[in-house]
Amino acid sequence: MTAVTELDILHDPTNRGFASDNYSGVHPEVLAAIVRANGGHQTSYGDDVYTARLQEVFREHFGPGVEAFPVFNGTGANVVALQAVTQRWESVVCTATAHIHVDECAAPERMGGLKLMTVPTPHGKLTPELIDTVAVRKGDEHHAQPKVVSITQTTELGTAYTVDEIAHIVERVHANDWVLHVDGSRLSNAAASLGVSFKEMITDTGVDIVSFGGTKNGLMVGEAVLVINPDVVNGMKYLRKQSMQLASKMRFISTQLEALLTDDLYLRNAGHANAMAQRLAAAVADIDGVRVPRAVQANAVFAILPKVVSEKLMDDFHFYFWDEALGEVRWMCSWDTTEKDVDEFAAAVRAAMSA
């Protein structure tokens, strides 16, 4: 076998940006898990020892009875999960900033046939009172019937629902005989930020179904749908296949998720990303003309600064506009973001604002 040389690497491995936690590479412990799972043959489509072990691992974190369905990606997880808890005439309530509404290219509607009912929210969070605004026209055949409330943890605006906030939402949702889905693409960041276990945040509060994220937290590829309350879920295994989310060589997704949940790797990765975001927010807090409009509660920093400055910074650092009209940008930190990365970027922001 020919050794890999620097000429074979098509990118600069020292390059860092703040555009997305999807930009980061694969954590070495996850890569090692893939290598361990790579020998010999294992039964395909999830009937393998790694997927069986994954069920035990998820139950250690979320409680007995939880069933995990590994999938390829977050959009797939959301579409499969939401289909499993709705009938064709029912709808999904979410925030106006929800990923399922804004950033999934209408996959829930087009692929899942789901009606989304969006609610404007402060700081990206639904509340029981806001949910009440869509709890109307029950039994009206002309109106799609709300059945699921979907919240994102952490939210698209970088905020985190507290355990009490989730519990109050669950109480209102279940009072309406509805289902609560959590889009948990950054659920590990929430656990690290709040200092609570998955069981305390999800199972004990009464959440019904979860899209559990891994790719943003150090995996190569892979998420999972977690069925917490099987009484409200129908046809998961068929929907996963029909939605093109059933991996033939599932052991390689399952072993990554197992590695993430072993020896607190999920907390180490997410906690580090959160800490780097806090460092970045603190480093720009005193720069004239830069404003951080929301508290930094996970690994995202939202900042408002002159658009021309952001465009100049983008020549050297990857990040995106969140709201171009406001000049608001989003800076994301990852498991592999270093203090040096943060300090160099903050210094560049300071220099660009001075110029």
Side-chain angles (χ1 to χ4, degrees):
M1 182 180 292
T2 304
V4 175
T5 69
E6 290 185 7
L7 293 177
D8 297 315
I9 300 174
L10 301 181
H11 76 293
D12 177 2
T14 65
N15 179 263
R16 295 287 199 280
F18 294 86
S20 172
D21 36 10
N22 285 319
Y23 275 40
S24 59
V26 183
H27 192 279
E29 291 178 40
V30 174
L31 283 174
I34 296 172
V35 172
R36 286 196 299 271
N38 194 38
H41 287 198
Q42 275 286 299
T43 309
S44 57
Y45 297 109
D47 192 16
D48 61 84
V49 295
Y50 294 95
T51 303
R53 170 59 181 151
L54 181 64
Q55 303 300 323
E56 300 173 11
V57 172
F58 267 117
R59 286 166 187 159
E60 290 170 5
H61 285 275
F62 286 84
V66 172
E67 189 170 7
F69 294 82
V71 295
F72 290 113
N73 54 51
T75 296
N78 287 334
V79 172
V80 170
L82 293 172
Q83 286 182 96
V85 290
T86 53
Q87 298 288 346
R88 293 177 64 185
W89 57 89
E90 292 172 336
S91 61
V92 177
V93 178
C94 62
T95 70
T97 52
H99 198 273
I100 58 174
H101 172 56
V102 177
D103 287 306
E104 295 188 352
C105 197
E109 295 95 334
R110 184 72 176 90
M111 307 306 295
L114 297 160
K115 169 67 175 176
L116 302 181
M117 302 178 66
T118 62
V119 181
T121 57
H123 308 302
K125 291 184 181 182
L126 280 172
T127 64
E129 294 73 24
L130 288 170
I131 291 168
D132 286 343
T133 65
V134 293
V136 296
R137 297 177 70 175
K138 185 175 182 179
D140 183 347
E141 66 194 81
H142 302 285
H143 185 69
Q145 297 294 291
K147 182 62 180 180
V148 182
V149 171
S150 178
I151 63 173
T152 308
Q153 178 73 322
T154 58
T155 75
E156 292 78 8
L157 297 181
T159 52
Y161 289 92
T162 66
V163 170
D164 285 344
E165 286 173 332
I166 295 173
H168 291 148
I169 290 172
V170 168
E171 182 180 11
R172 190 62 54 90
V173 166
H174 287 175
N176 287 326
D177 194 28
W178 295 353
V179 172
L180 184 65
H181 164 257
V182 173
D183 179 346
S185 63
R186 296 185 178 94
L187 198 67
S188 297
N189 298 91
S193 176
L194 298 172
V196 298
S197 68
F198 291 133
K199 185 175 182 294
E200 291 171 307
M201 180 170 44
I202 297 297
T203 313
D204 292 349
T205 57
V207 172
D208 297 295
I209 192 166
V210 176
S211 300
F212 181 85
T215 311
K216 290 178 170 63
N217 199 29
L219 268 59
M220 179 184 292
V221 59
E223 322 281 308
V225 177
L226 304 183
V227 175
I228 313 294
N229 179 7
D231 293 338
V232 299
V233 175
N234 292 300
M236 263 298 308
K237 66 178 184 178
Y238 307 109
L239 288 166
R240 178 174 59 173
K241 175 65 175 180
Q242 191 178 67
S243 301
M244 298 168 284
Q245 289 292 317
L246 179 65
S248 57
K249 296 185 179 181
M250 194 181 294
R251 60 171 152 157
F252 297 109
I253 294 179
S254 296
T255 194
Q256 292 179 75
L257 288 163
E258 180 190 356
L260 188 67
L261 294 168
T262 300
D263 296 332
D264 288 336
L265 179 59
Y266 74 98
L267 278 180
R268 286 185 275 136
N269 284 356
H272 176 78
N274 291 357
M276 292 302 97
Q278 292 285 350
R279 185 182 184 92
L280 177 55
V284 302
D286 66 342
I287 300 176
D288 286 342
V290 176
R291 182 164 66 90
V292 177
R294 282 177 292 279
V296 177
Q297 296 179 331
N299 63 323
V301 178
F302 290 82
I304 297 174
L305 60 161
K307 185 178 177 182
V308 65
V309 173
S310 291
E311 289 172 339
K312 178 63 177 175
L313 287 166
M314 287 175 185
D315 290 340
D316 298 310
F317 300 90
H318 292 290
F319 62 91
Y320 297 119
F321 282 106
W322 183 260
D323 186 332
E324 288 196 56
L326 286 177
E328 185 174 18
V329 296
R330 187 188 73 167
W331 298 326
M332 297 298 302
C333 295
S334 303
W335 68 266
D336 63 349
T337 302
T338 67
E339 292 183 355
K340 181 173 181 287
D341 297 333
V342 170
D343 295 345
E344 287 182 351
F345 179 59
V349 174
R350 187 178 300 275
M353 288 297 297
S354 297

